[in-house]
Amino acid sequence: MYRRRRWVRTCRLNTQGPWMSAGSLSLHDISIQVDPVTSSSAAIVLWAVGTNGDVLCRCGVTKDNPLGQSWIHIPTYLDKPFVSISVGGGWRVWGIAGDGSTWYRSGVSQYSPAGKCWLQVVEPPPGNGILRQVSAGSTAVWAVDTEDNLWRRKNITRTFPEGTDWELVAARVKRVSVGPKDQVWIITTNRFNNSSEASGCIYRRIGITDDKPGGTKWEKVIGEAWSYVSIRGTGEGEL
């Protein structure tokens, strides 16, 4: 007889302040552009989703004024509450509504950070799940549904930024993050890739090229017990 002791890795993030408040709004999701900032005074596109489902755009964000000035409420089609938002390359803004419908915001730029109108992305992914989280990179858009399936939007081009359809890439995925060079990192649920691993492992997608935008295989980074990952702050693939 013996006792098996389970080891758990923990970490602590230490930052230097002070933190500056951007208002009293309670936010559920937030995303900042992945495009390089051209100058210290150039506008930086930042969008967010409130806990009540409202879609918001932060005005006046620059290198010189990273706090910005104020929030602008962006009306949605039929006042649909949103659950996820992501700003991709070329200031392409993608959002997921509470009913799982996917939306693309046209007309967003440095000079018009709020954009012009919403375009619905059809058709939704097949199956019983509905989309709940989206992440957009330079050109790629990946999403996770309520059944923990990972999807990739196919055939996105400059002339057709909404793409054509969804491709199923993996199951047992909790969250996805896409970087400025279309790097893809995920957090898994238990038994990802038919393994015996517990929930919360971090993987990255290997083999993403122009010919194979969906990549070829997964490489484990670290595990277990992670709940959030972001690769959006680097162009080289490091965390």
Side-chain angles (χ1 to χ4, degrees):
M1 297 182 65
Y2 61 91
R3 177 184 298 175
R4 176 174 294 175
R5 182 172 297 175
R6 181 177 179 180
W7 295 96
V8 177
R9 180 180 295 179
T10 61
C11 69
R12 175 181 296 174
L13 176 63
N14 293 318
T15 62
Q16 293 182 346
W19 287 91
M20 301 177 69
S21 174
S24 58
L25 292 174
S26 180
L27 300 180
H28 172 75
D29 197 15
I30 190 168
S31 181
I32 194 169
Q33 71 178 56
V34 294
D35 294 281
V37 181
T38 55
S39 70
S40 59
S41 59
I44 296 173
V45 176
L46 187 153
W47 283 56
V49 174
T51 53
N52 60 356
D54 285 351
V55 179
L56 307 163
C57 173
R58 187 71 177 175
C59 288
V61 178
T62 65
K63 274 190 173 182
D64 291 338
N65 183 27
L67 181 62
Q69 298 172 347
S70 61
W71 291 104
I72 294 179
H73 176 260
I74 308 296
T76 57
Y77 179 73
L78 296 178
D79 293 328
K80 284 180 179 288
F82 273 40
V83 295
S84 181
I85 204 80
S86 186
V87 184
W91 305 285
R92 296 172 297 111
V93 176
W94 286 70
I96 303 292
D99 60 2
S101 58
T102 311
W103 298 84
Y104 169 79
R105 185 73 174 179
S106 68
V108 178
S109 69
Q110 287 180 306
Y111 309 102
S112 179
K116 296 179 180 178
C117 65
W118 290 105
L119 301 175
Q120 187 170 8
V121 178
V122 292
E123 295 280 333
N128 297 323
I130 61 174
L131 295 180
R132 59 176 174 81
Q133 190 243 326
V134 64
S135 186
S138 176
T139 57
V141 175
W142 294 60
V144 178
D145 68 18
T146 53
E147 299 291 324
D148 296 332
N149 294 311
L150 177 66
W151 301 88
R152 182 184 71 87
R153 189 68 179 172
K154 297 172 61 178
N155 302 320
I156 293 176
T157 64
R158 289 183 179 273
T159 56
F160 198 68
E162 305 98 310
T164 57
D165 55 340
W166 295 99
E167 175 189 32
L168 179 63
V169 180
R172 300 184 182 276
V173 176
K174 186 187 303 183
R175 190 171 183 88
V176 62
S177 178
V178 183
K181 290 190 175 181
D182 291 338
Q183 315 97 305
V184 177
W185 288 45
I186 61 171
I187 294 180
T188 65
T189 64
N190 60 323
R191 302 187 65 186
F192 176 72
N193 262 358
N194 295 320
S195 69
S196 58
E197 295 175 335
S199 179
C201 296
I202 296 178
Y203 281 78
R204 68 186 185 113
R205 191 66 172 169
I206 301 298
I208 295 177
T209 63
D210 292 339
D211 295 331
K212 294 183 178 181
T216 56
K217 63 180 181 179
W218 295 103
E219 179 182 74
K220 187 176 180 180
V221 178
I222 193 173
E224 305 156 348
W226 296 91
S227 59
Y228 189 90
V229 66
S230 178
I231 194 64
R232 296 175 60 81
T234 174
E236 301 300 329
E238 293 85 2
L239 191 61

